[in-house]
Amino acid sequence: MKKTYKIDVDCANCANLMEEAARKTPGVKSATVNFMTLKMNVEFEEGQEPKAVMQEVLKACRKVEPDCEIFL
């Protein structure tokens, strides 16, 4: 399953750090962040609950960029 989320991030480098953090989160098959459109596209592994996985993605992203936001 793929979903797109609106994000709030200040710089392109921070967006790259968020993308990397999201990719490493358990339950995420792939993730891409587009800084220009402020969107994160996430593909979830089979059988994963997107809402629960995205809570973990948000935690991981805030470790690398404390003031980022993902609108779930």
Side-chain angles (χ1 to χ4, degrees):
M1 174 187 299
K2 291 182 182 179
K3 289 195 165 218
T4 300
Y5 299 90
K6 184 174 176 2
I7 61 170
D8 183 23
V9 63
D10 298 331
C11 69
N13 185 53
C14 300
N16 287 337
L17 293 173
M18 286 177 65
E19 180 177 300
E20 189 175 314
R23 285 184 180 162
K24 292 179 180 178
T25 303
V28 174
K29 187 172 183 179
S30 67
T32 56
V33 172
N34 185 320
F35 177 67
M36 295 301 290
T37 62
L38 293 177
K39 294 196 186 292
M40 176 185 283
N41 297 310
V42 181
E43 184 176 0
F44 299 95
E45 291 177 355
E46 194 69 33
Q48 295 294 318
E49 176 58 44
K51 199 169 205 169
V53 173
M54 286 307 294
Q55 291 295 330
E56 295 305 311
V57 168
L58 181 57
K59 286 180 191 175
C61 287
R62 286 197 171 149
K63 285 180 184 175
V64 295
E65 184 54 38
D67 62 346
C68 74
E69 186 61 64
I70 300 173
F71 300 97
L72 305 177

